[in-house]
């Protein structure tokens, strides 16, 4: 996986990638909005503008919100592969690949439960998702 | 009674479209600009406002020999040119300039250029691109499976968008793809990003277009038939991370832009004779019909599949064949505007009889931005 693209990390997002390196999916959450999580990270709340925000660890659970099966080339990927949008239980959406699951419409059921896993890329860990409860058949 | 304040007095595309390897991207801008100036009898010395997207507006000024008192380089993707129509209208109304040239040129196919037209998004690259959706067909399509589940949109309905637009393209000698196609042809075409097949994706072309706008009271000074702006249009933006769209079944930017344009023009949907909705991919006219309010949420796919937008249907949509069949340079919004102008001038090869009002709506980036304008043949209403 070493030739897959690595993210360019900025000061505001360093904590997210540091968390991933430890196998933790970290999110920002807004104190003024009753602890509502948001994504991607930034040091203020995109709903109310407050700078009074915290970092929380996500449950790592979510569901398959939408996806495509990509037949176009991408460095380090062998098409076809799944590009998904995952809806976390915390109510935020994020992009991931669906690991341990065939890139086939029959195996990718909208709203199926997913859980976070971490893919090693170079020195980094990248948050990914897989079907909850282990690999599918 | 309201009177029109802004008129489009010049409108032209590049001399050739599709494959134009002999021109650079700057050259495509210039070719379209010279064609538009020629048809309304202007020279670069007559232009005091210049606007373009996806290209340095100052370079366009220098290349054409124009010294502007106003310029605008808004670059939010393909709807930039629709956005720039309303920005230009505001500039003319407030006296910042008198005669605006809006240019588009894009060497999408031959790639005779030194840059891509849209600013890269830092957050999109950090949190989306690393997962492999590197091209528009694998990004723009991401919300669609959700819409299929929630709204009952089908692959056949998506295919029908391409089929119906090909029927319109058949009228246009300049359209790249003119041969009739069937739903089976579309569904059997090469898989690109499931559920999207090749024929549900736009073309990749070279080309350009230009518009010249001035105040409506000067329109009589030009030999061309004026096309008037009704109201001031609309625009909005939701942002380049498609995964962060508030809804996957509806574009907030579309809804805000469309409502603003309709309210400003004082029109209802039954006033609209002709409609252009930027179609980089087959789902966009469906989202557009719903988000502009022509149909209820979830009904766009069936509306097109039932034939309402095809030649002879009650709502002629994308009458040039759209980005799927006419051409798509990368930022297609200019060509949607050009067909809207042709329809209002009464000169489209797919002319809608007695059409007096055209709505032109576009997307920028991948549901990142939107713009809408209302064009009309009438100088008062």
């Amino acid at each position: 996986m070493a030739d897959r693209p690595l993210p360019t990390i900025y000061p505001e997002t360093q904590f997210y990638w540091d968390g991933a390196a430890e196998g933790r999916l970290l999110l920002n959450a807004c104190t003024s909005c009753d602890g509502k999580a948001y994504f991607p990270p930034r040091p203020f709340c995109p709903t109310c503008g407050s700078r009074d925000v915290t970092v929380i660890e996500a449950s790592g659970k979510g569901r398959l919100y939408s996806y495509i099966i990509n037949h176009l080339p991408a460095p380090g990927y062998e098409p076809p592969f799944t590009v998904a949008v995952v809806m976390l239980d915390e109510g935020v959406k994020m992009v991931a690949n669906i690991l341990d699951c065939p890139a086939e419409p029959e195996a990718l059921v909208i709203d199926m439960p997913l859980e976070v896993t971490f893919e090693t890329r170079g020195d980094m860990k990248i948050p990914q998702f897989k079907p909850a409860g282990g690999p599918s058949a | 009674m309201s009177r029109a304040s802004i008129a489009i007095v010049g409108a032209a595309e590049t001399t050739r479209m599709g494959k134009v390897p002999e021109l650079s991207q700057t050259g495509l801008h210039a070719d379209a600009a010279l064609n538009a100036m020629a048809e309304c009898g202007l020279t670069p010395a007559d232009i005091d406002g210049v606007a373009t997207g996806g290209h340095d507006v100052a370079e366009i000024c220098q290349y054409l020999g124009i010294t502007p008192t106003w310029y605008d380089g808004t670059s939010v993707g393909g709807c930039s040119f629709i956005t720039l129509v309303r920005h230009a209208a505001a500039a003319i109304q407030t006296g910042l300039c008198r005669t605006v040239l809006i240019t588009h040129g894009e060497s999408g196919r031959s790639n005779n250029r030194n840059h891509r037209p849209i600013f890269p998004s830092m957050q999109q690259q950090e949190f989306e691109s690393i997962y492999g959706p590197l091209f528009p067909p694998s990004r723009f399509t991401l919300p669609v499976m959700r819409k299929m589940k929630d709204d009952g949109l089908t692959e056949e309905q998506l295919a029908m968008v391409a089929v119906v637009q090909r029927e319109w393209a058949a009228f246009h000698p300049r359209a790249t793809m003119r041969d009739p196609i069937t739903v089976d042809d579309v569904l059997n075409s090469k898989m690109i990003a499931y559920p999207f097949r090749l024929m549900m994706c736009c073309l990749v072309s070279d080309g350009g277009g230009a518009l010249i706008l001035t105040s409506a009271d000067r329109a009589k000074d030009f030999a061309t038939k004026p096309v008037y702006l009704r109201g001031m249009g609309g625009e909005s933006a939701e942002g380049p991370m498609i995964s962060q769209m508030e809804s996957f079944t509806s574009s907030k930017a579309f809804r805000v832009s469309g409502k603003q344009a309709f309210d400003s023009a004082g029109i209802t949907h039954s006033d609209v004779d002709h409609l252009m909705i930027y179609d980089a991919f087959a789902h966009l006219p469906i989202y557009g019909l719903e988000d502009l309010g022509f149909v209820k949420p979830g009904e766009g796919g069936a509306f097109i599949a039932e034939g309402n937008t095809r030649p002879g249907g009650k709502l002629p949509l994308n009458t040039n064949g759209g980005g799927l069949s006419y051409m798509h340079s990368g930022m297609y919004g200019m060509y949607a505007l050009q067909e809207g102008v042709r329809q209002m001038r009464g000169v489209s090869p797919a002319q809608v009889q007695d059409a007096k009002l055209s709505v032109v709506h576009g997307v920028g980036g991948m549901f990142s931005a939107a713009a809408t304008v209302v064009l009309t043949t009438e100088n008062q209403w």
Side-chain angles (χ1 to χ4, degrees):
Chain A
M1 309 293 178
D3 50 351
R4 290 187 177 181
L6 294 173
T8 301
I9 301 172
Y10 299 98
E12 298 92 329
T13 58
Q14 185 69 51
F15 81 87
Y16 177 84
W17 297 107
D18 288 347
E22 299 168 359
R24 300 161 70 211
L25 181 61
L26 301 182
L27 300 173
N28 277 133
C30 176
T31 306
S32 307
C33 294
D34 295 327
K36 183 181 159 192
Y38 60 87
F39 188 82
R42 76 208 76 170
F44 60 91
C45 170
T47 299
C48 74
S50 169
R51 294 176 192 261
D52 184 9
V53 300
T54 58
V55 174
I56 61 168
E57 182 168 356
S59 65
K61 298 190 187 317
R63 60 192 171 97
L64 180 61
Y65 196 67
S66 199
Y67 71 91
I68 56 118
I69 300 172
N70 191 14
H71 290 248
L72 299 174
Y77 283 91
E78 193 160 326
F81 62 95
T82 305
V83 179
V85 177
V86 180
M87 176 68 84
L88 303 184
D89 283 2
E90 287 76 13
V92 302
K93 299 192 288 290
M94 60 182 289
V95 172
N97 305 121
I98 305 300
L99 308 186
D100 300 334
C101 182
E104 295 164 3
E106 297 72 24
L108 295 158
V109 179
I110 294 287
D111 291 328
M112 68 191 233
L114 301 169
E115 62 190 27
V116 74
T117 182
F118 292 87
E119 172 197 318
T120 301
R121 283 190 201 180
D123 298 335
M124 294 190 68
K125 299 267 194 197
I126 307 293
Q128 291 281 22
F129 280 81
K130 63 180 182 180
S136 60
Chain B
M1 185 74 76
S2 299
R3 293 189 66 83
S5 66
I6 301 295
I8 296 171
V9 297
E13 294 171 346
T14 43
T15 309
R16 297 198 322 107
M17 289 191 322
K19 252 167 114 169
V20 192
E22 69 274 19
L23 285 178
S24 66
Q25 183 159 293
T26 320
L28 291 164
H29 278 266
D31 182 49
L34 293 170
N35 286 345
M37 285 189 277
E39 74 154 17
C40 60
L42 296 180
T43 70
D46 300 310
I47 305 293
D48 60 358
V50 177
T52 193
H55 201 105
D56 179 9
V57 66
E59 177 173 64
I60 299 305
C61 294
Q62 184 169 57
Y63 198 62
L64 286 166
I66 296 169
T67 305
T69 61
W70 175 87
Y71 54 78
D72 190 330
T74 299
S75 288
V76 291
C79 70
S80 298
F81 312 96
I82 304 170
T83 312
L84 290 169
V85 167
R86 67 192 300 264
H87 292 190
I92 293 165
Q93 279 190 352
T94 50
L96 303 181
C97 54
R98 294 183 74 207
T99 310
V100 172
L101 169 69
I102 303 174
T103 70
H104 160 69
E106 195 166 5
S107 185
R109 183 176 178 123
S110 300
N111 210 23
N112 289 327
R113 57 184 171 181
N114 64 2
H115 67 283
R116 302 284 304 171
I118 300 184
F119 290 113
S121 153
M122 292 164 67
Q123 293 199 312
Q124 197 275 329
Q125 289 183 339
E126 185 174 358
F127 295 103
E128 291 183 350
S129 292
I130 59 161
Y131 296 102
L134 301 182
F135 305 101
S138 48
R139 283 174 56 194
F140 218 153
T141 51
L142 264 176
V144 175
M145 287 296 286
R146 183 80 243 170
K147 188 167 179 68
M148 294 173 82
K149 164 94 187 227
D150 288 358
D151 291 355
L153 175 68
T154 66
E155 293 180 38
E156 288 74 17
Q157 288 172 345
L158 286 168
M160 272 301 285
V161 175
V163 170
V164 168
Q165 292 196 190
R166 186 61 64 83
E167 293 176 7
W168 284 113
F171 290 94
H172 285 262
R174 281 164 63 87
T176 299
M177 306 296 272
R178 301 179 63 200
D179 294 337
I181 52 173
T182 65
V183 167
D184 281 347
D185 291 336
V186 178
L187 293 178
N188 290 325
S189 64
K190 187 182 172 192
M191 189 65 82
I192 301 294
Y194 175 84
F196 280 76
R197 281 78 166 179
L198 182 66
M199 286 185 178
M200 299 174 181
C201 305
C202 64
L203 304 165
V204 181
S205 320
D206 301 326
L211 295 171
I212 295 171
L213 280 70
T214 191
S215 54
D217 54 16
R218 289 183 64 211
K220 62 183 182 307
D221 299 339
F222 298 90
T224 47
K225 181 184 177 190
V227 173
Y228 299 100
L229 204 58
R230 180 159 169 165
M232 292 299 283
E235 71 190 61
S236 192
E238 189 162 12
M241 285 189 77
I242 195 162
S243 64
Q244 301 308 306
M245 285 177 81
E246 194 174 87
S247 165
F248 274 22
T249 61
S250 166
S251 159
K252 182 165 70 174
F254 281 19
R255 296 195 308 272
V256 171
S257 175
K259 182 174 189 321
Q260 205 178 4
F262 275 70
D263 288 352
S264 175
I267 59 167
T268 64
H269 296 89
S270 61
D271 296 321
V272 178
D273 301 313
H274 172 255
L275 177 61
M276 298 296 290
I277 298 174
Y278 185 150
D279 58 319
F281 295 91
H283 57 304
L284 289 160
I286 295 167
Y287 280 77
L289 284 168
E290 296 174 10
D291 290 336
L292 296 178
F294 285 94
V295 298
K296 294 192 180 114
E299 293 182 352
F303 186 80
I304 291 173
E306 286 160 6
N308 291 299
T309 62
R310 72 183 352 155
K314 66 181 178 189
L315 182 58
L317 167 66
N318 292 345
T319 54
N320 61 354
L324 297 178
S325 287
Y326 184 68
M327 78 89 71
H328 191 285
S329 56
M331 295 184 294
Y332 163 87
M334 174 57 83
Y335 310 95
L337 286 164
Q338 294 287 336
E339 177 65 7
V341 169
R342 284 193 292 266
Q343 288 284 350
M344 294 300 94
R345 286 175 169 182
V347 301
S348 170
Q351 185 61 40
V352 175
Q353 215 173 355
D354 302 321
K356 291 193 177 67
L357 192 136
S358 174
V359 169
V360 180
H361 174 79
V363 66
M366 291 155 227
F367 284 125
S368 179
T372 317
V373 292
V374 180
L375 307 178
T376 176
T377 58
E378 298 173 322
N379 67 353
Q380 57 183 31
W381 49 84

